[in-house]
């Protein structure tokens, strides 16, 4: 197992001017970087929540098979176009553990787990769903954008009771050529069958984020992070 993958994740952070009342962690997609969603910290109008800390981790660099073995920032390897039967289980579980450690750090810094939202785009969505639903303390919410459910066959057995009723926001582009809409819809259907509360949204876009999605997500965040 490469030593790099066992290190703590590097992060970019946006800190509020006061002690944070909530933390939002956003995981980027394949080949991207922690800075990709920095604009969310400005675009999301969450003053009603109180001070919010934004945390943007960087995935480790690793060789990605589907891209000719080139090294890039990736939460796990992509072995081929079949996202269901050819999964990098080892890489996925390493990233689940790293994200759990990142959440643990936020709790140690004084933000309770039930005031933490974990979200991600594409590969970051897969890690959000895989790590968030397996985390041992109740989170405020999970956000999955343009992704799918990793290790889907193991979810029912491995989902932690603490997050069995954690609300989810799932969004997908109807014309997504990278992660087809059907993969996002399959995650939605599996979670609904397990009784997971979720808000589903699809938009006339490809593998991206649109302004309508940002506005819907802002409304959802205000709901799940409303002050106690």
């Amino acid at each position: 197992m490469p030593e790099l993958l066992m290190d703590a994740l590097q992060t970019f952070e946006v800190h509020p001017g006061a002690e944070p009342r909530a933390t939002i962690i956003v995981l980027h997609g394949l080949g991207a970087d922690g800075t990709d969603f920095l604009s969310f910290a400005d675009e999301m109008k969450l003053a009603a929540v109180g001070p919010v800390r934004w945390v943007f981790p960087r995935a480790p660099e690793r060789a990605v098979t589907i891209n000719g073995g080139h090294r890039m920032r990736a939460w796990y390897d992509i072995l081929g176009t079949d996202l269901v039967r050819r999964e990098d289980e080892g890489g996925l579980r390493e990233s689940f553990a790293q994200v759990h450690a990142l959440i643990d750090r936020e709790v140690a810094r004084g933000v309770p787990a039930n005031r933490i939202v974990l979200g991600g785009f594409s590969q970051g969505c897969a890690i959000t769903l895989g790590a968030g639903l397996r985390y041992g303390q109740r989170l405020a919410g999970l956000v999955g954008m343009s992704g799918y459910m990793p290790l889907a066959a193991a979810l029912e057995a491995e989902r932690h009771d603490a997050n069995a009723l954690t609300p989810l926001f799932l969004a997908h582009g109807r014309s997504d050529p990278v992660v087809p809409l059907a993969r996002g819809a399959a995650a939605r259907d599996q979670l609904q069958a397990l009784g997971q509360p979720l808000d589903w949204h699809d938009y006339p876009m490809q593998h991206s984020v649109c302004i309508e999605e940002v506005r819907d997500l802002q409304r959802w965040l205000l709901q799940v992070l409303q002050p106690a």
Side-chain angles (χ1 to χ4, degrees):
M1 187 180 299
E3 186 173 337
L4 172 65
L5 299 185
M6 299 305 295
D7 293 342
L9 292 172
Q10 299 173 351
T11 60
F12 298 96
E13 300 185 5
V14 178
H15 295 270
E19 194 68 21
R21 294 287 309 281
T23 293
I24 301 175
I25 301 170
V26 185
L27 310 179
H28 63 75
L30 175 66
D33 195 83
T35 59
D36 276 28
F37 286 91
L38 275 173
S39 62
F40 269 27
D42 293 323
E43 293 169 359
M44 297 290 174
K45 307 304 181 186
L46 302 177
V49 171
V52 175
R53 176 189 289 134
W54 291 82
V55 178
F56 303 93
R58 304 175 84 189
E61 290 187 354
R62 71 180 77 214
V64 176
T65 301
I66 200 170
N67 287 338
H70 293 298
R71 294 184 65 83
M72 62 189 65
R73 293 201 177 277
W75 296 106
Y76 51 93
D77 192 10
I78 301 291
L79 303 173
T81 56
D82 188 335
L83 299 177
V84 180
R85 285 175 290 185
R86 297 193 65 204
E87 292 188 277
D88 173 19
E89 181 172 353
L92 284 160
R93 293 193 184 278
E94 285 173 354
S95 287
F96 294 171
Q98 286 181 310
V99 170
H100 285 175
L102 190 62
I103 299 171
D104 290 344
R105 190 189 72 167
E106 284 305 298
V107 174
R109 290 204 287 182
V111 179
N114 64 5
R115 300 292 297 164
I116 297 173
V117 170
L118 176 66
F121 176 82
S122 194
Q123 266 204 349
C125 168
I127 297 301
T128 291
L129 297 178
L133 293 168
R134 290 169 171 81
Y135 189 64
Q137 297 184 62
R138 170 68 149 79
L139 298 169
L142 301 172
V143 177
M145 299 175 285
S146 301
Y148 63 97
M149 180 65 70
L151 306 180
L155 176 64
E156 185 172 3
E158 296 181 1
R159 184 178 63 155
H160 199 286
D161 288 347
N163 283 293
L165 294 177
T166 297
L168 270 74
F169 177 98
L170 290 182
H172 217 102
R174 296 175 201 144
S175 305
D176 191 331
V178 178
V179 180
L181 177 63
R183 298 304 314 139
R188 174 201 64 197
D189 294 347
Q190 180 180 16
L191 289 165
Q192 286 179 330
L194 291 174
Q196 194 86 34
L198 65 85
D199 285 23
W200 166 264
H201 302 265
D202 54 74
Y203 305 95
M205 64 178 184
Q206 296 190 356
H207 197 61
S208 60
V209 177
C210 63
I211 188 61
E212 293 82 7
E213 182 177 4
V214 171
R215 290 170 180 161
D216 289 339
L217 178 55
Q218 177 181 290
R219 284 191 289 268
W220 183 86
L221 287 169
L222 288 170
Q223 291 174 359
V224 300
L225 289 174
Q226 57 185 316

